[in-house]
Amino acid sequence: MEGKKVKYAIGDQDFRSVRERGCLYVDKTSYIDKIVNSGTKYYFLARPRRFGKSLFLSTMKYFFEGRRELFKGLYIDSTDWYWEDYPVLHLDLNTGKYEDLGKLEGVLDNMFRDWENRYGISVKDEDHSMRFKTIIKTAHEKTGKQVVILVDEYDKPLVGNLRKNENFEHYRTKLAGVYSNFKSSAEHIRLVFLTGVSRFSKLSVFSDLNNLKDITFSDEFADICGITEKELLDNFRQGIDGLAESYGVSYEAMCRLLKQHYDGYRFAKKGSDIYNPWSVLNAMDESRIGAFWNGTGAASIVAETLHASDVDIEKTLNARWKLDRLAGLDLLNADPTALLYQAGYLTIADYNLRNDTVRLKIPNREVKEGLFSDLLPFYVKVRRGTAEGVVGELVENIENGNPEDMMKNLQAYFAGIPYDLKMDNENNFHNAFYILLTLIGIDAKAEMHTSDGRIDLLIETPDYVYIIELKYDGTAEDALRQIEDKEYALQFSTDSRKVFRIGVNFSSETRRIEAWKIEER
């Protein structure tokens, strides 16, 4: 395709449209081959938003409709599949916003009406569950082939109503009734494939279908959505070259930038690192490195939940969990770590076979900057027009070894925190420090363990080490004395870098950094 501009399917989740318009398509059809030859009837896959779930379901739709001409040159076209036309019911719940009662019914009515017309169903039951049951049965009888049911974002009506209890319960009951047909109509069904952002533990589809295959954490299906590094290098050479030219860097340097910003996702014990497909496509199309994924959906519910939970941010973002705890999620009482994982703000860093746990991490720079930007306003508000200058000076003073000026910058940034912000305990003060420093690119570690305690905040640069103890309604002298008594600096005794020990006190009365003491080695 050299010399011809590559078309990127930005926002186009219809496989037929992507292929007919000649857009770049990363071939995932080998996974369809695995699915149709497995003997399994019910599948579930959870992935974060904008990760290619809808496009994969659309690909399956046209595959089961026998549209072989769309698959020319793809893996599945080389198999011995017989390309028959199955009745496909594509239940796309991604189209509605579900802000008010009745929105789900409207979405279902539109889809059901089309299928009823297609299969000649004139008598329509008022109950949506019974209507769906009739559609499944009639489609099988009229075509002589079992039905393929594809459900896109099965949980979207629930996720959108977490703070509206009446709506949430109404939609939960409605969806449970519709999904109950997967079991009761099993004789008419060839395949059911559901996607969503979470496995909602209190929806009957998961308790009723004891033969449901959840491939969310499967090594075999780890790369079913998203872009692997091999896929990136094999398919996006022209786009990477364009980006490299725009930024005046080498091809290799641009590959490293793409990796830092968009790679790092992992969805299984042995899975590959995965690039965010939405961000990669937009970066290629616009020839710039941007925060594309952060703008696709409001992250406020994640930030609000994390803040309201009153947790240690740094610990939460580097947790170790059992996989089965991440698989099921009680959306009404969501653990903040599980919610962060399901929403795509955390991913698997590594797997420990000995205790069957995974360590979680923020996948990449794009996600980190987006999450911390959403979190920071819950802890800090700065006078308009002062933040950028203060932050610039703060970074410069940290990198140049000016702890006194660094503390003045921090004092200015945290000056006069409004009373509507939650700064009512030491943990929130620690979180505010950690979020700010991480957001501006400083390598900050919170609650760093030593042989005799935990350093509140540790900042390391190539030339300097800052050991910071934070007190809430104490004294800076007491904070500095704790650093000395606990010998927090001992581990750096042979380090060639200059070490600063800093005791800081925050006053709950004035809601500002009140005092600090600095000693250096």
Side-chain angles (χ1 to χ4, degrees), residues 243-352:
L243 275 164
E245 183 178 350
S246 295
Y247 284 87
V249 299
S250 67
Y251 173 83
E252 292 75 17
M254 182 49 62
C255 287
R256 289 193 293 272
L257 275 173
L258 288 168
K259 191 174 187 68
Q260 291 168 5
H261 280 83
Y262 306 133
D263 191 22
Y265 285 96
R266 177 175 162 186
F267 299 109
K269 299 173 185 176
K270 300 178 183 177
S272 308
D273 270 9
I274 301 291
Y275 288 76
N276 185 313
W278 176 257
S279 298
V280 168
L281 287 172
N282 277 277
M284 301 296 168
D285 188 59
E286 298 187 18
S287 290
R288 69 181 181 91
I289 302 294
F292 301 106
W293 185 74
N294 292 330
T296 62
S300 59
I301 187 170
V302 174
E304 286 172 15
T305 300
L306 198 56
H307 180 247
S309 300
D310 200 21
V311 296
D312 183 306
I313 301 292
E314 198 270 346
K315 283 183 180 178
T316 301
L317 298 179
N318 294 275
R320 185 168 284 281
W321 274 54
K322 293 276 189 181
L323 273 181
D324 57 356
R325 288 185 65 202
L326 290 176
L329 180 62
D330 182 351
L331 289 174
L332 290 178
N333 299 285
D335 183 284
T337 302
L339 183 62
L340 283 163
Y341 178 85
Q342 301 285 4
Y345 293 96
L346 290 178
T347 193
I348 295 172
D350 59 56
Y351 172 70
N352 188 312

Side-chain angles (χ1 to χ4, degrees), residues 41-42 64 85-90 115 118-119 132-150 182 185-193:
K41 180 178 284 191
Y42 302 99
F64 277 107
D85 181 7
Y86 283 84
V88 178
L89 304 179
H90 187 192
W115 297 333
R118 182 187 308 171
Y119 298 111
F132 195 39
K133 187 180 188 71
T134 300
I135 291 168
I136 295 169
K137 180 176 182 290
T138 305
H140 183 197
E141 292 173 345
K142 289 287 182 72
T143 64
K145 295 186 179 71
Q146 289 177 306
V147 175
V148 173
I149 302 174
L150 307 173
F182 299 155
S185 300
E187 63 185 292
H188 304 294
I189 294 174
R190 166 71 168 83
L191 177 77
V192 172
F193 198 106

Side-chain angles (χ1 to χ4, degrees), residues 117 316 372 425 453:
N117 291 336
T316 301
F372 279 55
N425 60 48

Side-chain angles (χ1 to χ4, degrees), residues 114-294:
D114 286 344
W115 297 333
E116 287 160 345
N117 291 336
R118 182 187 308 171
Y119 298 111
I121 301 171
S122 56
V123 179
K124 302 175 180 63
D125 199 294
E126 291 186 4
D127 180 76
H128 285 89
S129 178
M130 293 306 299
R131 282 178 71 182
F132 195 39
K133 187 180 188 71
T134 300
I135 291 168
I136 295 169
K137 180 176 182 290
T138 305
H140 183 197
E141 292 173 345
K142 289 287 182 72
T143 64
K145 295 186 179 71
Q146 289 177 306
V147 175
V148 173
I149 302 174
L150 307 173
V151 186
D152 193 5
E153 301 291 2
Y154 88 102
D155 54 354
K156 187 174 180 182
L158 303 177
V159 174
N161 284 279
L162 292 181
R163 304 191 184 281
K164 297 180 180 179
N165 291 339
E166 181 183 355
N167 288 12
F168 184 94
E169 187 57 33
H170 172 80
Y171 286 143
R172 188 198 67 79
T173 302
K174 179 68 66 175
L175 289 173
V178 171
Y179 298 152
S180 67
N181 289 290
F182 299 155
K183 182 177 182 179
S184 62
S185 300
E187 63 185 292
H188 304 294
I189 294 174
R190 166 71 168 83
L191 177 77
V192 172
F193 198 106
L194 301 97
T195 70
V197 297
S198 64
R199 178 170 174 161
F200 183 38
S201 57
K202 290 188 177 180
L203 197 60
S204 61
V205 64
F206 296 109
S207 57
D208 289 348
L209 295 177
N210 53 15
N211 56 343
L212 175 74
K213 184 170 184 177
D214 185 348
I215 59 174
T216 299
F217 297 107
S218 167
D219 291 327
E220 184 181 9
F221 292 94
D223 306 340
I224 192 171
C225 291
I227 299 171
T228 66
E229 185 150 356
K230 184 178 186 306
E231 289 169 339
L232 179 79
L233 300 179
D234 288 349
N235 292 274
F236 293 90
R237 177 69 198 231
Q238 187 179 125
I240 298 172
D241 282 338
L243 275 164
E245 183 178 350
S246 295
Y247 284 87
V249 299
S250 67
Y251 173 83
E252 292 75 17
M254 182 49 62
C255 287
R256 289 193 293 272
L257 275 173
L258 288 168
K259 191 174 187 68
Q260 291 168 5
H261 280 83
Y262 306 133
D263 191 22
Y265 285 96
R266 177 175 162 186
F267 299 109
K269 299 173 185 176
K270 300 178 183 177
S272 308
D273 270 9
I274 301 291
Y275 288 76
N276 185 313
W278 176 257
S279 298
V280 168
L281 287 172
N282 277 277
M284 301 296 168
D285 188 59
E286 298 187 18
S287 290
R288 69 181 181 91
I289 302 294
F292 301 106
W293 185 74
N294 292 330

Side-chain angles (χ1 to χ4, degrees), residues 93-120:
L93 298 184
N94 203 28
T95 58
K97 291 190 175 180
Y98 311 107
E99 295 171 344
D100 303 305
L101 289 177
K103 293 291 185 181
L104 175 60
E105 287 83 345
V107 171
L108 294 176
D109 282 338
N110 288 334
M111 287 185 286
F112 288 3
R113 191 180 304 114
D114 286 344
W115 297 333
E116 287 160 345
N117 291 336
R118 182 187 308 171
Y119 298 111

